[in-house]
Amino acid sequence: MKKLDRATKYTILICIGLVIFNVIFGFALSRVAINALRTQINERMLDISNTAAAMLNGDELAKITADDYGSPEYNSVMKTLTYFQDNIELSYIYCIIQVSEKEFVFGVDPTIEDPGEFGSPIVYTDALYNASKGTAGVDEIPYADEWGEFYSSYSPVFDSKGNVAGIVAADFSTDWYNQRIRQLFYIIVAFISAALIVGIFLAVMITGQYNKLFIALVDKMNDLSNGIETLLKEVDSSEDDFGYFALSDTDSDKSVNDSVKLLEEKIVIMQMRLTNQIEVIRSHAYIDVLTGVNNRNSYMEYLQILEDKIAGNPELVFSVVVFDINQLKMINDDFGHDQGDKLIIEVSKEILQVFGGNRIYRVGGDEFVAILDDLDPSEKILKVKELLTNKISIGYATYDPKIDRTYSDVFHRADNAMYVDKREFYKTHEDRRMKRN
């Protein structure tokens, strides 16, 4: 059997390395990127149902029955839901009424063709049940009913006493949901396939020449790394610096060993960059892109931890502070969303400066929550109000085991206090909000 020459050995090793590298990279990138995209889609779904729920009057919704069709209260709910149905990319949006522990029925449905009849049963899901307990959520798996197959987000509508008066459901078809996942998957598969084809083609070309084609391989690897760079920027726009360098200008008179060494260094740097980008993608599932503070996904995850702590230690000490930006709608309307974003960033920076720590969350477009170990954060609240004069409304509550059974009890007291503060502000300032109560 003819002994393989050095160039052929290098070529075979490089081909094997390219295949392994692309398979591992494709698997890791697809898993992380798809999970990150699922998180973003779920957050978008929740933003829609949360916004609709916040615009409804819980006290009025709790009183609506089938006989109230056409009443002012019924029409008010219908008008709000119709706006979302007509202007947001979703399949259906409607109100749900709970009739027993795990039994739910249709309430107000703005669908023109074949709407859900008031009082007809709703398919039960765990996310719907959690919403009935006050925690908004999204279905982990799709469900099917007579209208099709859907993923849905569910957001509770609270009455003035903090009780769940109803639930807003926003349906998104499984085809719509999966199409967005498939688009990202196809991009990754196409890129990996192209990279493999290019790599194998280059390896075959190298077998015909020795030193010269090893240099060409280094140049092509530089092109490949730039392609990876482009894909990573599409998935995540953050920048890093690992001493990234180009090898396209490698001297043609360098030895084979020099070229192989340069190629090895290049691959090591690419692996470092990919590892870093994967970590960045993971972190973006928990960080608000605009402000850099923790996002709603991180907030919901910590709430589960906190609920477990409360159950295990009734003497736990913590306070909840709710912040809401004043007149953000007016700023967006009059000066544009860029100015509104600047205000959001300014508020988040001042909150971080005063409250510090790592439990500051942006839970909505203009709402932040801080979970503190302090019994009395009033001094910090006064300080942040001085820094952000009239820009935010604030309310807080401290956990009291005598009256609070869950975190939600503390949050609702803080949220109600914030709305008291906000009403005081709007007594002397223009108010363009959709009224909550």
Side-chain angles (χ1 to χ4, degrees):
M1 182 176 180
K2 185 178 179 180
K3 186 177 180 180
L4 297 176
D5 59 33
R6 193 173 185 181
T8 303
K9 290 180 179 178
Y10 280 134
T11 302
I12 293 174
L13 289 174
I14 290 172
C15 287
I16 294 174
L18 282 172
V19 171
I20 295 175
F21 172 79
N22 279 277
V23 170
I24 295 175
F25 166 65
F27 177 78
L29 182 61
S30 62
R31 287 288 299 274
V32 174
I34 287 173
N35 286 339
L37 182 60
R38 285 185 183 276
T39 298
Q40 293 176 357
I41 292 174
N42 289 349
E43 287 182 350
R44 177 181 180 274
M45 293 167 62
L46 276 175
D47 284 343
I48 293 171
S49 59
N50 283 340
T51 302
M55 295 171 64
L56 298 178
N57 186 312
D59 293 329
E60 294 181 354
L61 181 62
K63 299 176 182 178
I64 292 177
T65 66
D67 295 332
D68 292 323
Y69 181 83
S71 68
E73 294 80 6
Y74 187 97
N75 290 338
S76 176
V77 175
M78 179 69 77
K79 180 179 179 182
T80 298
L81 297 180
T82 300
Y83 174 84
F84 283 86
Q85 182 76 64
D86 294 342
N87 295 279
I88 304 296
E89 184 182 5
L90 49 75
S91 296
Y92 302 103
I93 187 168
Y94 47 90
C95 281
I96 296 174
I97 299 172
Q98 184 176 15
V99 296
S100 65
E101 178 68 11
K102 292 189 176 181
E103 183 180 0
F104 303 88
V105 298
F106 277 101
V108 180
D109 185 355
T111 306
I112 296 177
E113 296 183 3
D114 193 23
E117 184 179 349
F118 196 105
S120 59
I122 293 284
V123 175
Y124 171 88
T125 70
D126 290 339
L128 172 57
Y129 180 73
N130 291 337
S132 72
K133 300 301 181 182
T135 302
V138 178
D139 291 320
E140 294 293 332
I141 58 175
Y143 68 90
D145 58 20
E146 62 184 282
W147 290 274
E149 189 175 53
F150 305 96
Y151 287 92
S152 296
S153 62
Y154 306 95
S155 298
V157 179
F158 298 100
D159 61 21
S160 58
K161 295 181 179 179
N163 299 317
V164 177
I167 300 167
V168 171
D171 293 349
F172 298 81
S173 72
T174 303
D175 291 341
W176 175 90
Y177 192 98
N178 291 336
Q179 181 182 6
R180 277 142 184 81
I181 303 298
R182 286 195 297 268
Q183 287 174 348
L184 178 61
F185 178 76
Y186 291 154
I187 291 174
I188 295 174
V189 169
F191 172 79
I192 298 302
S193 300
L196 275 173
I197 293 172
V198 171
I200 292 173
F201 174 77
L202 291 175
V204 172
M205 293 295 294
I206 289 172
T207 57
Q209 302 181 41
Y210 203 60
N211 186 43
K212 179 180 178 181
L213 290 184
F214 259 115
I215 300 298
L217 176 61
V218 174
D219 293 338
K220 293 297 182 181
M221 282 298 296
N222 193 65
D223 293 339
L224 178 60
S225 68
N226 290 334
I228 294 175
E229 178 84 356
T230 300
L231 178 62
L232 291 176
K233 286 182 178 179
E234 291 180 359
V235 177
D236 187 275
S237 60
S238 62
E239 298 294 337
D240 55 21
D241 184 5
F242 285 105
Y244 198 64
F245 57 89
L247 300 179
S248 57
D249 297 329
T250 306
D251 294 336
S252 60
D253 59 349
K254 287 187 176 181
S255 67
V256 172
N257 290 335
D258 289 340
S259 299
V260 173
K261 184 176 180 180
L262 287 171
L263 179 60
E264 179 182 359
E265 292 175 352
K266 182 71 172 181
I267 292 175
V268 169
I269 291 171
M270 289 166 57
Q271 290 173 332
M272 293 171 65
R273 289 176 60 80
L274 291 172
T275 300
N276 179 71
Q277 290 293 343
I278 288 173
E279 291 302 319
V280 170
I281 291 173
R282 285 197 184 103
S283 70
H284 279 191
Y286 297 96
I287 299 298
D288 179 62
V289 176
L290 179 63
T291 64
V293 302
N294 298 310
N295 63 12
R296 186 176 184 85
N297 192 54
S298 177
Y299 174 67
M300 298 306 296
E301 184 172 287
Y302 181 70
L303 291 195
Q304 183 59 54
I305 297 173
L306 188 56
E307 293 285 11
D308 292 341
K309 287 183 178 180
I310 294 172
N313 179 17
E315 302 303 320
L316 189 68
V317 175
F318 71 92
S319 296
V320 178
V321 186
V322 178
F323 311 83
D324 194 274
I325 300 175
N326 294 328
Q327 295 184 311
L328 181 61
K329 174 175 173 55
M330 184 185 75
I331 292 172
N332 286 334
D333 291 344
D334 294 349
F335 304 103
H337 285 270
D338 288 344
Q339 292 301 315
D341 288 347
K342 289 181 180 179
L343 176 57
I344 293 171
I345 293 171
E346 177 190 355
V347 168
S348 66
K349 287 181 178 178
E350 297 298 350
I351 292 173
L352 282 173
Q353 177 183 337
V354 175
F355 287 86
N358 58 0
R359 294 201 292 270
I360 308 296
Y361 306 90
R362 184 184 179 202
V363 298
D366 58 358
E367 186 175 2
F368 295 82
V369 173
I371 302 176
L372 312 173
D373 295 329
D374 299 354
L375 273 172
D376 184 6
S378 56
E379 290 187 8
K380 292 181 178 179
I381 290 175
L382 289 175
K383 185 174 181 180
V384 80
K385 278 212 164 191
E386 290 176 0
L387 293 171
L388 294 167
T389 305
N390 290 331
K391 293 181 180 179
I392 59 172
S393 296
I394 305 178
Y396 84 92
T398 299
Y399 171 67
D400 184 348
K402 296 179 181 178
I403 60 174
D404 300 317
R405 300 186 63 184
T406 66
Y407 167 83
S408 295
D409 295 332
V410 188
F411 173 82
H412 290 316
R413 290 196 290 113
D415 194 45
N416 290 335
M418 182 277 293
Y419 273 96
V420 170
D421 190 33
K422 185 170 285 290
R423 282 194 292 270
E424 289 299 316
F425 171 81
Y426 281 116
K427 286 180 180 179
T428 56
H429 295 78
E430 181 181 358
D431 185 0
R432 299 186 188 175
R433 303 170 301 156
M434 295 291 294
K435 299 296 183 182
R436 184 180 180 184
N437 291 318

